[in-house]
Amino acid sequence: LTGDSAAGKTWATLTFGLSVALGRPLWPSMAPTEKRPVVLITYEDSPALIGQRLRAIAAEHGIPWRDVAKAESSGMLSIFCTPEQPLLVADGTGRPQPTSAWRQIKRHVLALRPGLVVVDPLAAAMQYPENDNGSASLAAAYLRNLATRSGAAVMLTAHTGKGGAGEAGQHAMRGASSMTGACRWHAR
């Protein structure tokens, strides 16, 4: 999911995640087929702000807050706000390598087997030479492996690139084209 700064990417992923975790169609065109656990990893917003946004989304859709709180307490909605370190960091050669944060999240995801994992935004979660196709391909391989092993769909958010402001397709996404090429679906 690519968009300009403050375009609503986090709002969209929170809405989509809550829809999947509750098994409720909050976007009728993307209704979940079943209730599944969701893991949201966000690097831009505090727990307090995420909570405010979830309350607003629940109110907008007529969802009692106790349903959201129950989803969180039961593990149907796991939220990691501003983790202490990125998931992947470049080594001396520029190749992304997993961090302890990646290993912690990966263990959680493999144990939970969620329907959806959200990483918001890609540039903060994965620090590597983002315009290098080799590095981006390796980062995409880590995500693809996580999706394959857990059975989850992995959704990324990304800011538009400098030249992507007017671009509607995959080339709007900031960074190497191999990352967008690895995506099965891209929306802006």
Side-chain angles (χ1 to χ4, degrees):
L1 178 60
T2 302
D4 297 333
S5 292
K9 297 178 297 296
T10 302
W11 282 95
T13 60
L14 286 171
T15 303
F16 194 61
L18 192 57
S19 178
V20 172
L22 296 177
R24 294 182 60 171
L26 303 185
W27 280 341
S29 62
M30 297 180 98
T33 57
E34 63 182 323
K35 186 164 119 173
R36 294 286 306 274
V38 173
V39 176
L40 297 164
I41 308 155
T42 179
Y43 279 83
E44 291 186 327
D45 299 313
S46 68
L49 183 56
I50 293 296
Q52 290 171 0
R53 289 179 174 184
L54 283 172
R55 283 185 182 279
I57 292 164
E60 174 71 24
H61 294 280
I63 299 168
W65 180 250
R66 69 180 174 279
D67 292 357
V68 178
K70 183 178 177 186
E72 285 190 85
S73 67
S74 69
M76 289 301 288
L77 184 61
S78 300
I79 302 173
F80 294 85
C81 293
T82 58
E84 309 235 339
Q85 65 180 196
L87 300 175
L88 302 176
V89 175
D91 64 13
T93 66
R95 294 172 54 87
Q97 299 296 321
T99 64
S100 60
W102 170 265
R103 289 185 286 279
Q104 175 193 2
I105 300 265
K106 181 180 174 184
R107 277 191 303 274
H108 181 75
V109 168
L110 293 177
L112 187 62
R113 304 195 59 77
L116 177 65
V117 174
V118 175
V119 179
D120 176 37
L122 176 64
M126 302 190 179
Q127 296 179 358
Y128 58 87
E130 68 178 14
N131 292 319
D132 179 76
N133 277 313
S135 295
S137 289
L138 186 54
Y142 279 107
L143 294 167
R144 188 172 29 259
N145 179 270
L146 182 66
T148 301
R149 290 188 59 204
S150 69
V154 176
M155 177 184 279
L156 308 174
T157 68
H159 295 101
T160 51
K162 291 177 185 169
E167 184 72 43
Q170 73 179 32
H171 300 293
M173 187 172 158
R174 173 179 156 175
S177 62
S178 62
M179 182 58 80
T180 56
C183 296
R184 293 186 179 259
W185 181 74
H186 183 263
R188 176 151 198 267

